[in-house]
Amino acid sequence: MGGFLPPAERRSSVLLGLYAALSLLLLVTGERLPQAWLRGVGAGIFAPLDRIVLTADRMGAAWHENQRLHQRIAELELETTRLESARIENERLRQQLGLMTSRRLTLKPVEVLALSGEPVPASATLSAGHKQGIEMGDAVVTREGLLGRIAEVYPNLSRVILLTDPNAAIACEIESTGVLGVLHFSGTPHPRLVLTDVALADTVRIGQRVVSSGLSRRYPRFLPVGTVRSLERDPSGLTQTIEVTPAAPLSRLRHAFVVPRPHPLEDAP
Amino acid sequence: MRGVAALLVAVVVALLLRSTALSALAARGVVLDVLAFATVLWALRYGETWGSSLGFALGLAADLDAAHWLGRHALVLTLIGYAVGRLSHTLVRESSRTHLALFAIATLVHQLWSAAFDIGGIAGVPYLLQRVVLAVVATAPLGTLLVALLRRVGGQPLFSHASIESGPTS
């Protein structure tokens, strides 16, 4: 290694000064740089390596997952048969009442290559991009529930902003009662998801499911988001804050599905 | 050029670990500061020039991945790499106590610096402090254990051949 730099202590001090100055410069002016482009380049370089590292981990888990999935498929086939008849009946009744019919979601399977963000993952790199039909704003889900939405798209990769991103806000409702609120990530007193702006008069119970309400039109309606974990009264006395346990396992992501955004002219409830 | 290649490999391995296995652990509260660990290890073995170089490269790559505050990790890891590299001339580099202390201090400094940027943002102060303590408690012993394991597997001291100036010449 000595060949790269002359073995002089002065050189190491100069290098230190250079690195420190560069770091400080980036701290001050970093926001003006095309960070999305730089991250795109980085993601492109690391994606194949991430795949290799994850392959070993996933092969071990695949065997157990396969067994579980066989059982789950059998259960879901029975459930689907029951729900299909209910769906037909529901659509017929909605048509008779003149209400809009719900849109069937199309799912594009993708692999989660890497997670980033501190102290909890706030974004993830996905194995599909513009060439695979992924677009900015598409919702991303796992079989358990909503994960986030696509924020950056590269030719063969994309970056999804998770529910835990501090800037994410999702219009939600309590599934069984229709109580509305906005889901945020909050860092105080500890990192958690909270449903805010819920009127104190609205009755909410621990364990109730929280789903996307579709009011913001960024996410389709009825995507599972989580379950109510605890309730607390806001200082104003008019509203309450609800802590929500996310439905999707944000710390252990392997596969996900991208849900294309509804077309502006489509009837989307 | 071998040195640059080794540095790049170290950066890639550390970042891959961080974005795959360790990120899942971190989300469960077990923070293993692989950036501080790699920087200390590198600086102990190759001295301050390469220690600060790895710290800067590793920090810059981590900054790009995190999408916020470019230069945040780069600055502190550069300084840690330099400081540990300088200290390595006078410390008993093969001592487990030295490793434990250096890993603990480096993790503490790195995590405190990183946490300072998050105050008032996504997490509260008690949580951030708890995270810093957990990172130190987890990284220092595990890092020391890993170094001891590497030494046992390799059958020879890890740091005895480092030159005072800028690392091994072969």
Side-chain angles (χ1 to χ4, degrees):
Chain A
M1 287 207 186
F4 180 62
L5 287 170
E9 246 178 59
R10 193 167 53 86
R11 288 292 172 131
S12 67
S13 303
V14 170
L15 264 183
L16 173 72
L18 182 70
Y19 292 151
L22 265 175
S23 303
L24 284 170
L25 191 69
L26 286 171
L27 270 173
V28 176
T29 62
E31 285 187 3
R32 294 179 198 163
L33 296 175
Q35 291 189 28
W37 180 83
L38 289 170
R39 276 199 304 276
V41 173
I45 293 168
F46 274 88
L49 299 168
D50 276 326
R51 279 198 180 96
I52 293 167
V53 172
L54 292 176
T55 299
D57 173 47
R58 289 174 183 181
M59 278 176 70
W63 171 257
H64 298 290
E65 196 174 8
N66 190 36
Q67 284 182 320
R68 277 203 315 275
L69 287 176
H70 274 302
Q71 186 186 346
R72 187 76 183 135
I73 285 170
E75 290 168 4
L76 288 176
E77 277 176 351
L78 293 172
E79 182 74 2
T80 304
T81 310
R82 191 180 67 77
L83 289 176
E84 186 63 17
S85 61
R87 184 186 67 80
I88 293 166
E89 184 183 14
N90 179 273
E91 276 185 6
R92 197 170 58 238
L93 290 171
R94 288 183 77 92
Q95 277 171 0
Q96 286 173 5
L97 291 169
L99 299 174
M100 287 187 293
T101 52
S102 59
R103 187 175 66 99
R104 279 198 152 187
L105 299 179
T106 50
L107 302 175
K108 293 178 185 169
V110 290
E111 205 173 3
V112 179
L113 296 178
L115 296 169
S116 58
E118 293 168 345
V120 289
S123 66
T125 306
L126 304 182
S127 63
H130 185 64
K131 287 182 182 171
Q132 287 77 33
I134 308 296
E135 290 179 16
M136 287 269 285
D138 287 351
V140 182
V141 298
T142 64
R143 67 183 174 87
E144 290 91 354
L146 183 64
L147 211 57
R149 57 197 287 262
I150 300 289
E152 290 170 13
V153 183
Y154 313 115
N156 289 301
L157 298 165
S158 52
R159 195 172 179 91
V160 54
I161 294 298
L162 303 179
L163 303 177
T164 45
D165 185 272
N167 299 318
I170 299 146
C172 289
E173 65 180 84
I174 304 293
E175 188 181 42
S176 53
T177 58
V179 170
L180 298 172
V182 181
L183 190 87
H184 296 280
F185 176 73
S186 167
T188 50
H190 57 86
R192 60 189 185 146
L193 291 176
V194 290
L195 197 64
T196 56
D197 302 333
V198 178
L200 197 62
D202 290 331
T203 305
V204 179
R205 295 184 200 288
I206 291 170
Q208 284 183 319
R209 292 207 329 158
V210 179
V211 297
S212 57
S213 67
L215 290 180
S216 68
R217 298 189 66 86
R218 286 181 164 183
Y219 298 94
R221 198 177 178 190
F222 295 135
L223 292 177
V225 172
T227 49
V228 175
R229 186 177 185 179
S230 64
L231 314 163
E232 60 189 68
R233 191 184 196 145
D234 289 337
S236 68
L238 298 172
T239 55
Q240 55 186 322
T241 295
I242 298 165
E243 186 173 342
V244 174
T245 304
L250 298 174
S251 63
R252 190 75 184 161
L253 296 169
R254 289 198 182 106
H255 300 100
F257 301 94
V258 176
V259 184
R261 285 189 82 180
H263 190 276
L265 298 178
E266 255 182 284
D267 286 336
Chain B
M1 288 310 286
R2 274 182 60 194
V4 177
L7 187 133
L8 285 176
V9 169
V11 169
V12 168
V13 168
L15 289 173
L16 279 177
L17 274 173
R18 187 169 178 263
S19 67
T20 52
L22 297 184
S23 69
L25 278 175
R28 292 184 174 92
V30 185
V31 183
L32 288 173
D33 193 341
V34 73
L35 302 183
F37 171 76
T39 305
V40 169
L41 201 66
W42 205 261
L44 266 181
R45 188 166 166 84
Y46 297 116
E48 66 268 25
T49 302
W50 287 98
S52 56
S53 296
L54 181 92
F56 180 72
L58 207 52
L60 199 59
D63 286 328
L64 281 173
D65 192 40
H68 301 293
W69 294 105
L70 274 178
R72 176 173 74 160
H73 292 295
L75 180 61
V76 71
L77 289 175
T78 298
L79 295 175
I80 288 173
Y82 183 81
V84 173
R86 293 287 292 182
L87 282 172
S88 71
H89 302 320
T90 50
L91 291 173
V92 182
R93 286 179 296 174
E94 287 297 336
S95 160
S96 293
R97 285 182 195 168
T98 305
H99 300 158
L100 188 70
L102 286 178
F103 288 141
I105 293 167
T107 306
L108 182 71
V109 170
H110 180 220
Q111 291 293 325
L112 275 176
W113 172 259
S114 302
F117 286 83
D118 292 332
I119 290 174
I122 59 170
V125 173
Y127 173 79
L128 289 172
L129 287 177
Q130 177 194 335
R131 189 168 178 275
V132 169
V133 172
L134 276 176
V136 174
V137 168
T139 308
L142 273 176
T144 309
L145 202 68
L146 188 63
V147 171
L149 206 67
L150 286 173
R151 195 167 45 202
R152 177 65 64 89
V153 170
Q156 58 183 0
L158 285 177
F159 307 112
S160 62
H161 298 298
S163 77
I164 280 183
E165 288 143 5
S166 60
T169 51
S170 60

